[in-house]
Amino acid sequence: MAIDVAALRAHFPSLTQGFAFFDGPGGTQTPVPVAEAIARTMTGPLSNRGAVSASERNAERAVAEFRAAYADLLGVPASGVVHGRSATQLTYDFSRHLAKDWRAGDEIVLSRLDHDANVRPWLQAAERAGVAVRWIGIDDATTELDLDSYERALSPRTRLVAVTAASNVLGTRPPLRRIADLAHEVGALVHVDGVHYAAHHLVDVPALGADLFVCSPYKFLGPHCGVLAGSPDVLETLAPDKLLPSTDTVPERFEFGTLPYEVLAGATAAVDFLAAMDPGGEGGEGGAGVRDAARPGVSRRKRLRRSLGSLHAHENALRARMEEGLRALGDAVTVHSKAADRTPTVLMTLEGRDALEAQAHLAARGVVAPAGSFYAYEVFAALKLPDPSLRVGLAPYNDAEDVDRLIDALSSFLATAA
């Protein structure tokens, strides 16, 4: 089956402004159904959760539907889904929850490939607890994790391994299951930053071997918030600091204060939008676009598998077109994304040219591609990458015309006098 990209793009008012957006790794554009779900929930009626009034029941439904949607998206029970303001906030929260049981002599293992949100919270927690930190390095030649350094870092004292499922700047996808299996052999928990990965692949948290997995709905067409998924059995072992009257039930004991019901509704709508991108199969015709309603009898998980499989094919075709165009620009472009297994995200530098000037040149031509280091502090330091560098990343609504505009804008920038 396939995605009807023209039909999909019609749901994004921001695309009518004439821009080609390649800033998806930092946050995607929002489709109308997501915004409508937020507005519909806010205008309700809406109250705090309860079972008496319609407004209370609306709040309860927003929470239940959110947990069910992210259970389907991430392959975990609904009781393993935790809402947070952001993936960073959730990682900070869980670093504190886990570190309560760490003792001097314990160790944790971190990765040089990671966004700082999966590094700094653990480093700071380790320092407070007096716990040693070991590192997984990056192979300069391949931009993949150095698994030899990982095996050397593990020991019976390892309590936690924190690692990304996909680099937000290089796109590198490490062999997560192998990493998790080795961690579990020494009794360590595995915390996975899946923020960039979840934007491009159907997630199966148990199959990846993750004990805890965080992602950000605004990276895949939803509103700004974070989600943590994990085994309820693992969550039951963690005792967060919380208010005395608040529930001790998992997962709600990890959610502090009144939940933003309208944000939960928008996040749920994003999952439904993803599931409907390719409505083909199971008796349907492919390519009809997201306007088709979900077919009865077909689980949302199955529809997500089909749609995200089609998205993967769509993005891979665009990535090949983009990389061919970059190669045609010759030695003036250095691509730093080299891993064999990676997402459709490319980090590049332009010979003798300033990346911020390139960003401005592209923006003036309707191409949004940011320059920076994108919170990937350890990656830039380990590989000695120029800061800022230019990053382009594909999203579901990108098409071949977008890619051609990007290449043309880069070519015109390179043709200008330095």
Side-chain angles (χ1 to χ4, degrees):
M1 297 301 131
I3 294 173
D4 183 338
V5 181
L8 184 144
R9 287 173 63 88
H11 293 272
F12 293 83
S14 60
L15 299 185
T16 66
Q17 304 301 308
F19 291 96
F21 292 97
F22 290 93
D23 59 343
T28 50
Q29 303 302 301
T30 307
V32 168
V34 171
E36 288 178 340
I38 293 170
R40 188 166 55 247
T41 304
M42 291 190 76
T43 55
L46 189 65
S47 300
N48 279 336
R49 297 163 67 183
V52 177
S53 68
S55 57
E56 292 173 335
R57 292 193 296 273
N58 284 343
E60 287 284 1
R61 183 169 59 251
V63 176
E65 290 179 351
F66 165 78
R67 296 205 203 283
Y70 282 82
D72 287 344
L73 182 68
L74 304 175
V76 297
S79 57
V81 174
V82 181
H83 168 270
R85 187 182 67 80
S86 66
T88 301
Q89 175 250 306
L90 284 165
T91 305
Y92 263 114
D93 284 351
F94 276 78
S95 73
R96 290 188 288 269
H97 304 334
L98 288 167
K100 289 169 70 173
D101 294 327
W102 294 349
R103 300 291 181 265
D106 289 341
E107 299 177 351
I108 65 172
V109 176
L110 307 180
S111 152
R112 301 286 186 194
L113 189 62
D114 273 74
H115 186 289
D116 209 51
N118 203 31
V119 174
R120 217 57 44 186
W122 304 112
L123 278 177
Q124 292 162 354
E127 182 178 8
R128 287 191 298 270
V131 167
V133 178
R134 309 296 181 212
W135 289 92
I136 314 172
I138 305 176
D139 185 310
D140 292 1
T142 65
T143 67
E144 296 180 359
L145 281 181
D146 178 357
L147 295 186
D148 289 339
S149 72
Y150 174 54
E151 294 190 30
R152 291 193 299 270
L154 285 173
S155 82
R157 298 182 297 278
T158 305
R159 300 295 304 276
L160 172 86
V161 174
V163 64
T164 186
S167 165
N168 70 308
V169 289
L170 298 170
T172 302
R173 289 180 51 195
L176 204 55
R177 184 65 202 223
R178 179 179 173 191
I179 290 169
D181 287 346
L182 289 171
H184 291 151
E185 285 178 10
V186 299
L189 288 176
V190 177
H191 182 279
V192 173
D193 175 354
V195 171
H196 189 62
Y197 179 93
H200 301 286
H201 299 278
L202 181 66
V203 178
D204 186 331
V205 170
L208 292 173
D211 297 296
L212 303 170
F213 181 102
V214 291
C215 64
S216 300
Y218 73 97
K219 303 298 177 73
F220 44 86
L221 315 181
H224 287 80
C225 64
V227 178
L228 180 140
S231 162
D233 291 342
V234 172
L235 296 178
E236 289 285 1
T237 68
L238 305 178
D241 295 328
K242 64 179 189 65
L243 303 182
L244 184 61
S246 65
T247 180
D248 198 39
T249 301
V250 167
E252 293 178 340
R253 71 186 186 203
F254 301 104
E255 297 166 335
F256 308 120
T258 302
L259 289 169
Y261 307 120
E262 69 279 5
V263 173
L264 300 186
T268 299
V271 173
D272 286 332
F273 190 95
L274 291 172
M277 286 192 304
D278 179 358
E282 280 99 3
E285 295 297 325
V290 294
R291 291 168 293 183
D292 288 1
R295 291 181 173 81
V298 181
S299 74
R300 181 163 49 193
R301 179 71 177 177
K302 287 183 179 178
R303 289 183 281 118
L304 283 163
R305 182 176 292 110
R306 180 180 60 240
S307 284
L308 293 177
S310 296
L311 173 63
H312 185 62
H314 167 65
E315 290 183 335
N316 274 351
L318 290 184
R319 172 186 150 189
R321 187 185 190 100
M322 178 171 64
E323 291 177 342
E324 181 181 3
L326 292 175
R327 285 192 296 271
L329 297 176
D331 294 339
V333 177
T334 300
V335 172
H336 300 285
S337 302
K338 303 174 185 176
D341 187 2
R342 54 190 171 88
T343 65
T345 296
V346 175
L347 188 75
M348 70 183 83
T349 48
L350 309 176
E351 186 65 31
R353 306 303 301 271
D354 183 87
L356 292 173
E357 290 181 3
Q359 177 184 352
H361 180 94
L362 268 59
R365 286 151 183 81
V367 177
V368 180
S373 56
F374 310 102
Y375 286 76
Y377 176 84
E378 299 296 336
V379 177
F380 272 70
L383 298 180
K384 300 180 175 58
L385 297 172
D387 182 6
S389 292
L390 196 68
R391 180 183 67 182
V392 295
L394 296 170
Y397 42 73
N398 287 125
D399 59 14
E401 182 180 344
D402 285 346
V403 171
D404 292 344
R405 287 179 66 188
L406 167 69
I407 299 303
D408 287 346
L410 283 171
S411 178
S412 69
F413 174 71
L414 293 169
T416 62

